[in-house]
Amino acid sequence: MQLIVGRIGKPHGIRGEVTVEVRTDEPEQRFAPGVVLRTEPGATPPANPAAGPGVVFQVPPELTVESARFHQGRLLVAFEGVLERDVAEALRGTMLLVDSADVDPPEDPEEFHDHQLVGLAVVTPDGERLGEVARIDHAPASDLLVLRRPEGGTALIPFVKAIVPEVDIAGGRVVVDPPGGLLDL
């Protein structure tokens, strides 16, 4: 499974550096010099204004990190072969991916990667099936489990111990004890 670790933003300066919207808890590891990142498959390549009208820039299938640094709270990354602003601009919006097999499991037993939770059955403490985890939304107050309901639609469940007392990866389930009305919102 491919995991998104970042999204390329606007260029920074004239030498090909780009801003990266970080989507990983380990940016120092994911964006270390020499790391090879896959790019979003099927990304629509934009026109390359430097090459003239009608010439389309092809986003390469992989980018190798040359250097990375934080500047005013933003991650700036230089990729090998991206030496000018026009090429960096053509990469804007590209998702950066790693294979989940290359990601070490968290050391903390109470911590989970999103891909470990997606697809797990969601049940009450009594075993009543409520649906399955469709995705995780990372909100400012807490992470949210997006529950795909069997009858259709979704529900948001705050991923906090009081509401989600048990996560059983091996058993393929998440136990939730929702307060009254939470699933009706």
Side-chain angles (χ1 to χ4, degrees):
M1 169 187 278
Q2 298 295 309
L3 305 175
I4 298 172
V5 295
R7 183 179 150 284
I8 296 177
K10 65 183 182 176
H12 179 80
I14 60 171
R15 294 192 175 98
E17 227 174 12
V18 294
T19 60
V20 172
E21 175 188 316
V22 176
R23 296 191 181 177
T24 177
D25 289 343
E26 303 160 330
E28 295 81 13
Q29 181 181 352
R30 301 284 167 243
F31 297 99
V35 169
V36 177
L37 299 168
R38 292 179 183 91
T39 58
E40 179 181 42
T44 305
N48 185 351
V55 177
V56 174
F57 174 79
Q58 294 294 326
V59 175
E62 297 179 335
L63 292 169
T64 302
V65 177
E66 187 174 282
S67 66
R69 63 190 172 97
F70 281 94
H71 175 70
Q72 297 180 348
R74 292 181 186 248
L75 180 64
L76 301 179
V77 178
F79 293 105
E80 290 180 9
V82 179
L83 304 174
E84 53 193 53
R85 186 177 181 89
D86 290 337
V87 176
E89 177 63 44
L91 292 172
R92 188 189 291 228
T94 300
M95 294 296 194
L96 301 169
L97 313 161
V98 297
D99 193 307
S100 62
D102 298 336
V103 177
D104 295 329
E107 293 178 18
D108 182 352
E110 296 294 316
E111 185 178 326
F112 307 96
H113 291 299
D114 292 3
H115 72 277
Q116 293 177 292
L117 301 171
V118 173
L120 295 182
V122 178
V123 298
T124 66
D126 299 332
E128 176 190 351
R129 185 174 170 88
L130 300 173
E132 73 175 34
V133 178
R135 70 176 188 276
I136 312 301
D137 283 353
H138 300 281
S142 72
D143 292 339
L144 298 167
L145 297 176
V146 179
L147 172 65
R148 183 178 304 118
R149 304 284 295 175
E151 65 275 4
T154 59
L156 299 176
I157 300 174
F159 195 19
V160 295
K161 191 76 170 167
I163 298 174
V164 184
E166 181 184 350
V167 175
D168 181 5
I169 300 289
R173 68 190 188 118
V174 175
V175 177
V176 299
D177 190 8
L182 180 67
L183 300 179
D184 299 327
L185 296 176

